Amino acid sequence: MESDPSDSRLTYRRHQRLRATSEFRVCFDGLRAGDDHLLLFVQENGTQQSRLGVSVSRKNGNAVARNRKKRLLREAFRLLQRDLPIGLDFVMVPRHRRDSGLTDFLASLQRLSAKLNKRLRSGGIEQSHAEPAK
């Protein structure tokens, strides 16, 4: 059963996921920004919806710890998906911190996605490197 876009439920469906290695590579070649909790890569995807990929390395702990971070990152995306820019692919890479929680990931995702969307809309990679440092 296909849901209505005006449906008030927040879901994270299969078509919102980056799955192929090539999709991740394209996104890693796009813009990136980071903070203490999260490194976010963004690339335009040419569709009317945003998609998410998650990459958690072994430096983040054992399988239990890595899977928990993946769940928290997906939950942050699910909760913020209506506030995020449309038509972008996101790859989230958590920093190697043990104290990062859902509220940290929510704040980071919201702040970093707005920053990257602004850079994308103002000319992308070329213009962002040309800006003088303040």
Side-chain angles (χ1 to χ4, degrees):
M1 180 176 152
E2 189 65 31
S3 68
D4 182 10
S6 64
D7 192 351
S8 63
R9 293 179 298 175
L10 296 172
T11 59
Y12 178 60
R13 298 189 184 273
R14 182 174 293 256
H15 64 273
Q16 293 176 286
R17 298 177 189 159
L18 294 179
R19 286 174 273 156
T21 302
S22 60
E23 294 172 332
F24 276 84
R25 282 193 188 125
V26 167
C27 201
F28 283 135
D29 289 338
L31 294 177
R32 69 177 152 229
D35 63 10
D36 290 343
H37 300 282
L38 187 63
L39 182 59
L40 184 65
F41 295 86
V42 173
Q43 181 74 304
E44 291 178 318
N45 63 20
T47 66
Q48 287 299 311
Q49 67 183 28
S50 294
R51 300 185 304 169
L52 173 68
V54 176
S55 177
V56 182
S57 73
R58 289 187 182 173
K59 292 178 183 178
N60 282 286
N62 62 15
V64 174
R66 292 192 310 269
N67 287 333
R68 175 162 173 71
K69 283 198 176 185
K70 289 178 198 176
R71 286 192 306 272
L72 290 173
L73 292 171
R74 287 187 201 113
E75 180 68 2
F77 178 81
R78 186 186 73 81
L79 292 172
L80 290 176
Q81 65 186 328
R82 293 203 176 124
D83 299 329
L84 296 174
I86 296 173
L88 299 177
D89 286 343
F90 296 95
V91 173
M92 293 196 287
V93 180
R95 298 289 188 173
H96 312 303
R97 295 179 59 148
R98 299 206 185 271
D99 63 340
S100 296
L102 181 59
T103 56
D104 299 317
F105 291 138
L106 284 167
S108 293
L109 178 57
Q110 197 163 28
R111 183 175 50 255
L112 296 174
S113 64
K115 178 180 179 178
L116 289 172
N117 186 47
K118 185 177 178 181
R119 282 175 46 195
L120 270 173
R121 303 304 176 224
S122 68
I125 297 170
E126 296 79 24
Q127 186 169 350
S128 66
H129 289 289
E131 295 175 357
K134 293 182 182 181

